[in-house]
Amino acid sequence: MFREEVKTIGGLRLHVIPTKKYKTNTLVLKMKAPLCERDITMRALVPYVLQNATERHPSMKALRTYLDELYGATLQVDLAKKGENHIITIRMDVANEKFLGTTSPLLREALTLFSDMLFRPLTEQGGFSAAIVEQEKRALKQKIQSLFDDKMRYAQHRLIEEMYKGSPYALDVHGKLSDIDTIDAKRLYKHYEHMLKHDEIDLYIVGDVALTDVEHDVVERFPLEARSLRSTETTTLTKRTSVQEVIEKQHVKQGKLHLGYRTNTTYNDADYDALQVWNGIFGGFAHSKLFMNVREKASLAYYAASRIESHQGMMMVMAGIEPSNYERALEIIHAQAEAMRNGQFSDEEIIQTKAVIRNQLLETVDTARGMIEISYHNVIATRQRPLDEWLEAIEKVTYEDIVRIGEKIELDTIYFLTEKEGEKK
Amino acid sequence: MKIIRYDQLQEQLFYERLNNGLDVYILPKKEFNKTYATFTTKYGSVDNYFTPYGKTSMKKVPDGIAHFLEHKLFEKEDGDVFQIFSKQGASANAFTSFTRTAYLFSSTTNVEKNLETLLDFVQKPYFTEQTVEKEKGIIAQEIRMYDDNPDWRLYFGTIESMYHNHPVKIDIAGTVESISHITKDLLYECYETFYHPSNMLLFVTGPVDPLTILEQIRTNQAQKTFHSPIDIERFNYEEPSHVAREKHVIEMNIQTPKCLVGIKAKNVYTKGKEKLKHECAMGLLLDHLFGKSSLHYERLYQQGLIDETFMVDYTEESDFGFGLIGGDTLYPDQLAEEIQRILLQFSDIGDEQVERMKRKKIGSFLRSLNSLEYIANQFTRYAFDRMSLFDVVETLQSLTSDDIKAVARECFVREQFTVCQVVPKR
């Protein structure tokens, strides 16, 4: 398990997770706002602009050279959706000096750099550096386009786009290609100032440190005004009269079959644990029904799995199959879902699945990133639950709970990306 | 049993070579929940031509067989091994590289049972014609998945262009055609040759008591009989130092072109400290030239020739080594030209820059020690070539600008460069 010390400092929530597991210290800043079509592209651009340069390190080379000097500290940014929230993550990782035979206070220096990035970015004439913004606009275009080239990610994105058409969850975290040219350095900076005032901001520090060691440094370096917190309501999908089927053709050798289900259950709900077990028996692991039947018995796929989007109430099944096996694969997948709904799973499958989920959660908190992800669930959700309660709840799930969850799970959309040549089915 | 202490890193490594020749390493990590164990054989996709155990002449086997064998080892008479591991709360996996096949589990409970399962399933093959046939469908889909993946095609396209004869140029999974020739007898033949304990290494890391674990392993191994160890005779491929082809272009259904420049290393040391030094020097040099803090990175980025996907990497294994530089780009030809020019124009690196790059590499080495997976996998890779993962810091520290210039002279030669591009289908 892990211990977390939390303190609100103005508009910042500071989480310190003291642990001796690592040779480095990890700093992660998360900025959260509701997914919104108008803002999403600007929000997607901001972290990439920030990681370029600061007043003190006014070029990519200067900033990256400084990171090298901090014993190869790393700096990365990324974007994610959690339910209908848009999350920006900025991550730094820096060696713990006690393994280096140096006395320079690397963590404090990393915190200073982090603060510089947020509060003293390179600016000119009341905006970000125009050259950097132009360069990152170009890179963002490429990033959005590259989604098309990774067929697994593409199919996943297309399924969500079709399933959630018209609702914020359908948006791509990187924003919209057509917005990019409308953004300039001044407008982006204005938007960034707005984000600093209104976003929900969490800073995590994981490593061999305690809250009291870093609190003062953080107070000094992260001057954020207090703000009122907004909670994001998840759009409820209207029930379909029949399952939506979308078939898209491209020059591909393997068909990508993705199915979207409405689980009508999120992390906030009391029966979320039963959903986790349901998903585990169905397709979450190598002992699950999908893997055993689509792959091991029918030999149709290399991967056949399901996973849940904890905050959205969605479950996705994915399999890579021979285009001609579309109907056979669907039939087998439907049969497994049907078996789940009819309660055709054994006590042994339940015990096995609980054991693996427990193992997975405990392993997750062996990485700094994993601890932060687990903790951040409680920021996204209205429900507060430490890991040990989560583990207990999984243990308590019964056969009846799992059957009950099955009644709430409805297939919504089938998406199939398949080969162009030949019309064979 | 031997204990090796690394004071600066605050680690202790326990080692023993068992009577049957198996090397066992245990690295206790008290703070962690999980235990991670890998059981690895020095047998990978490049071992396609060898003298099988009990035979006197060399034999060529179908491409992709080491990987196929890896898949098949999980299936037993009474079902598959994933079931057993998951009942014991563990997750299991395996992977095949050019030179190794590793089987692994990670778990936070039942460590002893899981370890027993790992040792037993790897050391008890069960292949039938029927299960071999069934596996062909699954692996065909694995191959198809990579066929549609432009990054994989780019990666292998580059390696393929570098080598004339060396089997590193063959895709690890083989082809749908080559795996069709695999039979249960061929699998047994490969198994008997390469899965002898004396050709294997077991690495366990996590919150374990090394003495108890070691005793368990000794007992497990003592109950099994193995034929006497043999020196495995592998075919020695003649490989010229220049690349097989200068340029290769692959058309695919994509939007953004991709480009890699490959550098073929010649005269790679096959083992030991010299090898480690060579690898470290080359890694440091490429990072100096193309890493995010380099002058070139910033310029190429500003010119719009590269984006975040730009990467630089150096791989060195038994008797081959290659560097890869590139990523997504709208101007694949211009990028290829720029990279090659930078390589050829390199003449010197200042002491101050060497020191800075060393710092960076040492920090990044510390970071990788946060990962039990990294430690086990990399330790094994190094050990198979008689190097030690824990010598990396010391080796880095010993590097001088002369060492770095020497690898540049040896590798930055036009004839040793190749360019591979994946471009949108017209």
Side-chain angles (χ1 to χ4, degrees):
Chain A
M1 248 50 72
F2 64 95
R3 195 159 53 85
E4 183 182 7
E5 302 169 333
V6 187
K7 181 153 192 185
T8 303
I9 301 171
L12 178 83
R13 215 166 9 218
L14 171 65
H15 310 245
V16 176
I17 302 176
T19 169
K20 288 187 198 301
K21 280 181 194 176
Y22 312 119
K23 305 260 189 275
T24 61
N25 292 309
T26 300
L27 303 172
V28 169
L29 185 98
K30 291 198 176 264
M31 301 181 75
K32 165 168 105 69
L35 277 168
C36 149
E37 194 167 358
R38 194 189 58 225
D39 298 340
I40 194 160
T41 316
M42 279 193 287
R43 287 183 64 83
L45 195 53
V46 158
Y48 292 95
V49 168
L50 293 178
Q51 70 161 352
N52 259 274
T54 67
E55 273 173 21
R56 229 187 300 229
H57 306 284
S59 70
M60 184 188 274
K61 173 150 172 57
L63 193 140
R64 295 284 163 177
T65 301
Y66 182 61
L67 288 166
D68 290 355
E69 277 158 16
L70 296 181
Y71 285 88
T74 58
L75 168 61
Q76 295 149 343
V77 304
D78 71 44
L79 302 160
K81 273 191 279 197
K82 293 237 186 264
E84 290 181 5
N85 295 290
H86 193 228
I87 320 276
I88 294 170
T89 302
I90 308 177
R91 191 177 288 120
M92 272 188 83
D93 195 79
V94 62
N96 183 335
E97 56 268 22
K98 83 174 180 201
F99 300 103
L100 286 169
T102 166
T103 50
S104 70
L106 294 175
L107 178 60
R108 183 175 300 152
E109 284 163 28
L111 270 172
T112 304
L113 178 62
F114 215 130
S115 144
D116 277 3
M117 236 181 344
L118 294 178
F119 302 105
R120 274 169 296 278
L122 186 64
T123 53
E124 57 191 33
Q125 297 156 2
F128 285 118
S129 148
I132 289 175
V133 170
E134 286 312 308
Q135 171 189 305
E136 290 305 328
K137 279 163 67 177
R138 191 170 52 208
L140 185 61
K141 279 184 192 167
Q142 239 164 284
K143 215 168 292 157
I144 292 172
Q145 268 161 351
S146 75
L147 173 69
F148 177 85
D149 300 343
D150 180 338
K151 299 306 172 198
M152 215 183 289
R153 257 180 66 215
Y154 175 78
Q156 182 176 326
H157 172 74
R158 287 284 298 119
L159 169 71
I160 288 173
E161 205 172 59
E162 293 290 344
M163 184 165 163
Y164 289 91
K165 205 174 274 171
S167 93
Y169 196 66
L171 293 167
D172 177 4
V173 290
H174 294 107
K176 291 161 62 184
L177 210 49
S178 56
D179 283 350
I180 295 177
D181 287 331
T182 68
I183 300 172
D184 66 46
K186 270 199 186 119
R187 192 169 149 232
L188 189 66
Y189 190 71
K190 275 230 148 51
H191 186 74
Y192 177 58
E193 288 180 319
H194 175 87
M195 287 165 60
L196 277 184
K197 275 210 178 71
H198 298 285
D199 270 23
E200 202 170 322
I201 303 180
D202 290 87
L203 175 66
Y204 285 88
I205 302 178
V206 182
D208 194 5
V209 287
L211 179 66
T212 47
D213 300 333
V214 288
E215 189 182 341
H216 179 71
D217 289 334
V218 172
V219 169
E220 246 179 14
R221 287 168 180 75
F222 292 82
L224 286 164
E225 291 162 36
R227 61 210 59 203
S228 53
L229 302 180
R230 297 168 288 185
S231 71
T232 315
E233 285 297 314
T234 303
T235 317
T236 318
L237 285 182
T238 39
K239 211 173 152 95
R240 282 184 205 282
T241 45
S242 63
V243 174
Q244 169 178 224
E245 189 188 40
V246 180
I247 295 184
E248 187 171 336
K249 293 187 174 180
Q250 285 184 18
H251 289 285
V252 291
K253 294 197 172 158
Q254 182 176 66
K256 304 282 180 211
L257 177 56
H258 286 227
L259 282 71
Y261 297 79
R262 276 172 282 145
T263 63
N264 299 303
T265 307
T266 68
Y267 185 88
N268 273 335
D269 298 309
D271 48 7
Y272 173 74
D273 314 293
L275 174 64
Q276 268 195 299
V277 180
W278 198 99
N279 174 63
I281 302 173
F282 180 53
F285 303 102
H287 69 268
S288 307
K289 289 189 187 299
L290 289 178
F291 189 89
M292 291 310 291
N293 290 286
V294 180
R295 174 176 148 135
E296 294 299 301
K297 287 207 183 102
S299 166
L300 290 185
Y302 171 63
Y303 65 91
S306 67
R307 53 173 250 233
I308 45 181
E309 303 283 25
S310 312
H311 300 280
Q312 189 60 24
M314 181 205 182
M315 182 177 69
M316 190 174 347
V317 165
M318 53 220 130
I321 57 169
E322 197 65 40
S324 59
N325 285 331
Y326 176 63
E327 262 132 31
R328 232 181 113 208
L330 262 186
E331 206 178 291
I332 300 174
I333 294 168
H334 290 330
Q336 306 319 307
E338 203 44 43
M340 290 299 300
R341 260 180 229 118
N342 296 335
Q344 291 165 18
F345 43 85
S346 60
D347 284 346
E348 193 171 30
E349 279 173 285
I350 299 174
I351 293 166
Q352 204 172 357
T353 302
K354 285 180 178 176
V356 183
I357 292 174
R358 181 186 172 79
N359 185 52
Q360 199 178 45
L361 284 168
L362 287 173
E363 283 192 14
T364 302
V365 298
D366 270 345
T367 66
R369 206 182 175 128
M371 285 193 252
I372 294 169
E373 287 306 316
I374 297 256
S375 153
Y376 200 62
H377 276 303
N378 298 318
V379 172
I380 302 283
T382 47
R383 180 183 188 194
Q384 295 297 307
R385 186 165 62 159
L387 182 60
D388 47 354
E389 282 177 28
W390 189 344
L391 291 169
E392 266 170 51
I394 292 283
E395 282 316 313
K396 284 191 188 132
V397 171
T398 63
Y399 175 86
E400 287 72 28
D401 295 336
I402 306 169
V403 172
R404 203 165 354 98
I405 266 291
E407 289 161 11
K408 296 196 334 192
I409 297 176
E410 304 159 297
L411 179 58
D412 184 281
T413 300
I414 300 169
Y415 172 84
F416 189 45
L417 175 65
T418 188
E419 66 179 353
K420 217 168 200 161
E421 297 98 340
E423 291 303 315
K424 59 180 176 191
K425 261 250 158 167
Chain B
M1 189 195 61
K2 211 168 121 185
I3 305 176
I4 312 160
R5 280 174 228 278
Y6 302 96
D7 291 336
Q8 179 82 46
L9 295 172
Q10 300 179 19
E11 302 285 359
Q12 277 191 10
L13 184 64
F14 295 73
Y15 167 67
E16 184 164 300
R17 175 167 291 173
L18 305 187
N19 291 335
N20 63 19
L22 178 67
D23 280 329
V24 181
Y25 290 89
I26 300 162
L27 185 78
K29 284 274 201 182
K30 282 199 211 79
E31 306 281 334
F32 281 77
N33 295 317
K34 84 167 160 198
T35 296
Y36 182 79
T38 59
F39 192 19
T40 311
T41 163
K42 192 176 178 180
Y43 169 49
S45 66
V46 300
D47 300 300
N48 64 351
Y49 205 166
F50 55 89
T51 308
Y53 172 72
K55 301 276 164 59
T56 50
S57 59
M58 289 228 155
K59 177 169 184 168
K60 186 95 184 272
V61 290
D63 293 339
I65 196 166
H67 170 255
F68 200 102
L69 175 51
E70 172 229 296
H71 271 239
K72 273 323 332 142
L73 222 39
F74 281 92
E75 192 162 324
K76 303 293 171 217
E77 207 164 351
D78 46 358
D80 87 0
V81 182
F82 289 122
Q83 295 284 348
I84 305 174
F85 277 114
S86 68
K87 275 174 203 154
Q88 294 163 182
S91 61
N93 215 333
F95 62 86
T96 305
S97 73
F98 296 124
T99 56
R100 286 169 288 143
T101 312
Y103 299 84
L104 58 97
F105 76 83
S106 67
S107 76
T108 53
T109 47
N110 297 321
V111 169
E112 290 184 12
K113 267 194 206 161
N114 287 317
L115 187 57
E116 204 78 6
T117 305
L118 177 71
L119 290 167
D120 291 350
F121 100 82
V122 173
Q123 292 183 326
K124 198 177 171 208
Y126 171 78
F127 312 131
T128 68
E129 289 301 352
Q130 193 203 342
T131 61
V132 168
E133 283 315 304
K134 198 204 66 193
E135 200 65 28
K136 289 177 182 173
I138 297 171
I139 296 183
Q141 285 314 313
E142 186 178 4
I143 293 170
R144 291 277 179 253
M145 178 177 81
Y146 285 109
D147 280 348
D148 280 335
N149 181 325
D151 289 312
W152 184 256
R153 297 278 299 276
L154 180 71
Y155 175 73
F156 250 97
T158 313
I159 297 171
E160 219 176 81
S161 295
M162 281 192 270
Y163 293 90
H164 297 258
N165 306 317
H166 198 289
V168 61
K169 71 176 191 172
I170 300 163
D171 193 311
I172 291 165
T175 64
V176 175
E177 203 277 326
S178 74
I179 62 168
S180 73
H181 303 292
I182 293 173
T183 63
K184 84 171 196 327
D185 294 337
L186 281 171
L187 290 177
Y188 275 116
E189 199 162 58
C190 293
Y191 183 88
E192 288 302 323
T193 311
F194 292 105
Y195 281 69
H196 191 276
S198 63
N199 194 44
M200 299 185 75
L201 188 153
L202 178 67
F203 197 99
V204 184
T205 176
V208 293
D209 173 43
L211 301 183
T212 323
I213 287 283
L214 192 57
E215 188 48 39
Q216 186 200 344
I217 297 164
R218 280 192 205 112
T219 312
N220 174 290
Q221 291 299 287
Q223 287 161 357
K224 298 172 185 171
T225 50
F226 301 92
H227 60 69
S228 49
I230 52 160
D231 271 333
I232 300 168
E233 196 190 355
R234 292 164 158 101
F235 186 80
N236 221 338
Y237 287 88
E238 284 293 318
E239 181 62 40
S241 61
H242 64 276
V243 296
R245 59 185 176 211
E246 277 171 32
K247 190 177 178 184
H248 182 49
V249 180
I250 301 164
E251 288 191 0
M252 278 184 81
N253 171 35
I254 56 164
Q255 290 188 345
T256 312
K258 294 169 186 287
C259 173
L260 269 187
V261 172
I263 307 168
K264 185 177 179 180
K266 68 172 168 194
N267 305 328
V268 174
Y269 299 95
T270 55
K271 57 176 184 283
K273 285 210 158 146
E274 285 299 317
K275 185 175 185 65
L276 185 58
K277 192 170 167 184
H278 187 262
E279 182 186 283
C280 287
M282 189 70 168
L284 191 149
L285 172 59
L286 289 177
D287 202 16
H288 162 70
L289 289 174
F290 298 102
K292 282 194 168 168
S293 58
S294 67
L295 209 53
H296 301 301
Y297 186 97
E298 184 171 59
R299 179 172 57 82
L300 298 174
Y301 196 93
Q302 282 168 353
Q303 288 174 357
L305 287 179
I306 61 172
D307 67 9
E308 267 218 327
T309 60
F310 187 76
M311 63 96 179
V312 41
D313 182 52
Y314 181 66
T315 300
E316 189 165 314
E317 298 257 351
S318 52
D319 59 348
F320 58 89
F322 54 81
L324 300 171
I325 307 151
D328 291 1
T329 174
L330 296 175
Y331 313 97
D333 284 331
Q334 217 177 316
L335 179 60
E337 269 314 304
E338 278 284 354
I339 292 171
Q340 293 182 82
R341 184 163 38 211
I342 292 165
L343 292 168
L344 293 172
Q345 279 174 355
F346 171 82
S347 62
D348 203 3
I349 177 170
D351 288 339
E352 196 187 310
Q353 287 158 316
V354 174
E355 285 314 306
R356 200 179 78 225
M357 295 317 288
K358 279 187 193 175
R359 263 194 178 201
K360 177 181 179 183
K361 292 280 183 193
I362 290 168
S364 108
F365 177 74
L366 280 186
R367 178 168 314 108
S368 45
L369 295 187
N370 292 341
S371 157
L372 302 187
E373 290 84 346
Y374 178 90
I375 297 172
N377 299 334
Q378 292 304 308
F379 187 91
T380 304
R381 173 173 84 89
Y382 283 118
F384 278 165
D385 292 328
R386 293 186 214 160
M387 305 183 273
S388 171
L389 172 69
F390 295 104
D391 287 344
V392 166
V393 170
E394 200 182 307
T395 308
L396 278 167
Q397 258 151 0
S398 75
L399 288 178
T400 66
S401 60
D402 285 339
D403 297 326
I404 291 157
K405 281 184 272 184
V407 294
R409 270 195 305 277
E410 171 209 290
C411 298
F412 294 177
V413 177
R414 173 80 71 182
E415 291 71 38
Q416 288 163 238
F417 297 163
T418 190
V419 175
C420 186
Q421 297 167 344
V422 178
V423 301
K425 223 186 202 117
R426 269 163 298 182

